[in-house]
Amino acid sequence: MEKYYLAALSGANGIGYRRVTKMIEFFGSAETAWKLSDYELEKIGLPASALNSLLNFRRQNPDFPEKLARDCTDGKMNLCTVADEDYPPILKEIQYPPPVFYYRGKLLPEVNRIAMVGSRKSTNYGERAAFMFAEDLAAAGLTVVSGAAYGIDTCAHRGALKTGRTVAVLGNGLNWKNNPAKEKLLDEIAENGVVISEFEPNMQPSAITFPPRNRIIAGLCAGVIVVEAGIKSGALITTNYAADYGRDVFAIPGSIFSEMSKGCNKLLYDGAKAVTDARDVLEFYSIEIPQKNFRSVSTPTPPEKISRPEKKLPVQVELKSSPELPPKEKPEGKAAEVFDAIPPDDFITSEEILIKTESVEPGELPRLLLQLELRNYIVKENEKYKRI
């Protein structure tokens, strides 16, 4: 049951990877931390907002660990913690890996993965490109990762399923029911890959759940391919995470007259790698093009491991606490602009924050807010934000 107590601690707002690991190191186990009295929990020195959030969450959900265990059994899903052997090592490299995630299907932690993302409002051009790239990349032995949204994501999953393996990362709990067509796709993915979510099983999707989902997509993969995206597409949030994590960013060029290609073309202008064929990606990673199930024939050679530059980020094989930020250190860049727009004495909405900033785009704001919240600069309550 220890992993369910770990998941329960992570369920409270403001209790993320760093604070969960701190509690486990301080009290010895997640179960002990969950069962302690309010007074004993105060000893760890959590910020008042995080402590109150945890205490309120526990009072409202006293049997939450047991409920999670039942939900996993009833929903035929599994729970993976960052300390488990099946936890993908590459995901541990990111700054705030999810302490736990739920999944259906089979985890293959060491496989090579490439992400494919794009707009929900896709065109025929984008859908054909997504399907073709995913089909060929999966045939070459890569696992294609996407977000199971309509449009580009769906086409990427379906293309990969035709020749290989795919992973869907969701912005809702695994027990949340979608329409029958999407449920059928997710069932197919679970049979030929894995469906993942860091949210508790019955969590419904919302605007605040998708940026965390996007960080996992980027964190799982060696690189991200943007197939088709408007200039303010949420898919570009994934590329921001990819850049932060040192992942490769690829973009498929599009027509200068298409609104749905402006995001990709802007990425190319900013330095993303242009790809017009799956071979471009395979050659970048020195993976030979297989003869079987591939559109272009080459000498049949088993796929090689993706060769990525050595990273200096430590790969954590067990729960470890992250270093606290210096108390007077301020955010930089656009994060600083967002931070300055948030008052210390009152909560404001994301719309009000956008009005008070000049260079921040709507598609960037969720990522910046999440970054500030994870680093304990701001606190969120009822979809509003205030400085700590």
Side-chain angles (χ1 to χ4, degrees):
M1 284 291 294
E2 174 67 12
K3 62 172 58 180
Y4 296 105
Y5 284 101
L6 174 58
L9 289 174
S10 305
N13 287 333
I15 306 296
Y17 171 77
R18 183 177 57 177
R19 288 169 183 163
V20 166
T21 56
K22 183 178 180 180
M23 282 189 283
I24 291 173
E25 289 187 340
F26 192 85
F27 296 117
S29 74
E31 181 176 1
T32 300
W34 178 264
K35 293 180 177 179
L36 288 174
S37 68
D38 293 5
Y39 171 75
E40 289 172 312
L41 273 176
E42 291 175 359
K43 294 179 181 178
I44 196 172
L46 290 174
S49 57
L51 177 64
N52 290 333
S53 175
L54 175 58
L55 296 179
N56 290 334
F57 180 79
R58 194 173 62 170
R59 291 187 196 107
Q60 295 168 7
N61 305 275
D63 300 322
F64 198 61
E66 293 78 8
K67 180 180 181 300
L68 286 178
R70 290 194 301 271
D71 287 341
C72 286
T73 299
D74 295 343
K76 297 180 180 178
M77 70 184 75
N78 297 293
L79 179 63
C80 183
T81 78
V82 73
D84 291 343
E85 291 182 0
D86 285 344
Y87 196 99
I90 191 173
L91 189 57
K92 294 178 185 178
E93 295 178 4
I94 70 175
Q95 188 173 16
Y96 296 104
V100 301
F101 63 78
Y102 306 84
Y103 68 95
R104 289 195 183 107
K106 185 175 182 181
L107 283 177
L108 298 179
E110 300 288 352
V111 298
N112 295 317
R113 304 177 201 86
I114 192 80
M116 292 184 64
V117 297
S119 176
R120 288 175 171 83
K121 300 177 181 178
S122 52
T123 67
N124 180 257
Y125 164 77
E127 292 169 2
R128 289 173 59 198
F131 189 96
M132 181 185 73
F133 266 74
E135 181 183 358
D136 285 348
L137 292 171
L142 292 178
T143 294
V144 175
V145 180
S146 198
Y150 295 111
I152 297 302
D153 289 11
T154 294
C155 292
H157 289 306
R158 293 206 176 280
L161 285 171
K162 188 174 179 182
T163 56
R165 177 179 165 85
T166 186
V167 174
V169 185
L170 305 186
N172 53 263
L174 296 186
N175 278 348
W176 178 261
K177 294 301 179 184
N178 299 278
N179 64 56
K182 188 168 183 179
E183 286 299 312
K184 183 176 183 296
L185 173 62
L186 293 176
D187 288 342
E188 292 178 31
I189 293 172
E191 291 175 4
N192 298 276
V194 63
V195 180
I196 289 174
S197 173
E198 71 172 313
F199 302 107
E200 63 94 3
N202 298 306
M203 180 80 168
Q204 68 181 34
S206 69
I208 63 171
T209 62
F210 289 102
R213 186 261 329 240
N214 293 345
R215 97 183 189 284
I216 293 179
I217 292 175
L220 278 171
C221 300
V224 176
I225 304 171
V226 184
V227 180
E228 187 176 47
I231 198 68
K232 294 185 178 181
S233 171
L236 301 185
I237 296 175
T238 309
T239 66
N240 290 331
Y241 283 123
D244 289 344
Y245 302 155
R247 308 308 197 229
D248 304 304
V249 178
F250 306 91
I252 298 177
S255 169
I256 62 173
F257 302 107
S258 171
E259 289 294 322
M260 287 297 99
S261 290
K262 287 187 175 180
C264 289
N265 292 340
K266 177 66 163 55
L267 285 174
L268 295 172
Y269 180 84
D270 290 338
K273 301 170 182 66
V275 288
T276 58
D277 188 290
R279 289 172 298 184
D280 297 333
V281 179
L282 299 177
E283 289 171 0
F284 180 84
Y285 290 118
S286 300
I287 296 176
E288 292 293 332
I289 300 170
Q291 183 175 355
K292 184 179 179 181
N293 295 329
F294 203 84
R295 299 170 188 274
S296 300
V297 178
S298 182
T299 304
T301 305
E304 299 176 3
K305 291 288 287 184
I306 285 183
S307 176
R308 297 190 299 121
E310 287 292 326
K311 296 217 172 21
K312 296 182 179 179
L313 290 171
V315 177
Q316 299 165 323
V317 295
E318 58 184 27
L319 289 171
K320 295 180 180 178
S321 58
S322 300
E324 297 288 339
L325 290 172
K328 294 185 179 181
E329 179 182 342
K330 285 199 64 176
E332 298 179 351
K334 291 188 177 181
E337 186 178 356
V338 172
F339 177 77
D340 291 339
I342 300 173
D345 53 355
D346 193 18
F347 285 91
I348 65 173
T349 66
S350 56
E351 289 80 7
E352 292 172 306
I353 295 170
L354 277 174
I355 292 173
K356 296 173 69 174
T357 58
E358 294 182 0
S359 65
V360 177
E361 298 288 343
E364 297 176 300
L365 186 59
R367 177 181 66 87
L368 296 169
L369 288 170
L370 178 65
Q371 181 185 40
L372 290 171
E373 186 180 358
L374 288 172
R375 295 185 177 185
N376 202 28
Y377 288 118
I378 63 174
V379 64
K380 178 181 68 180
E381 288 185 12
N382 300 320
E383 308 306 322
K384 294 185 177 182
Y385 300 88
K386 184 179 75 170
R387 284 195 212 173
I388 294 177

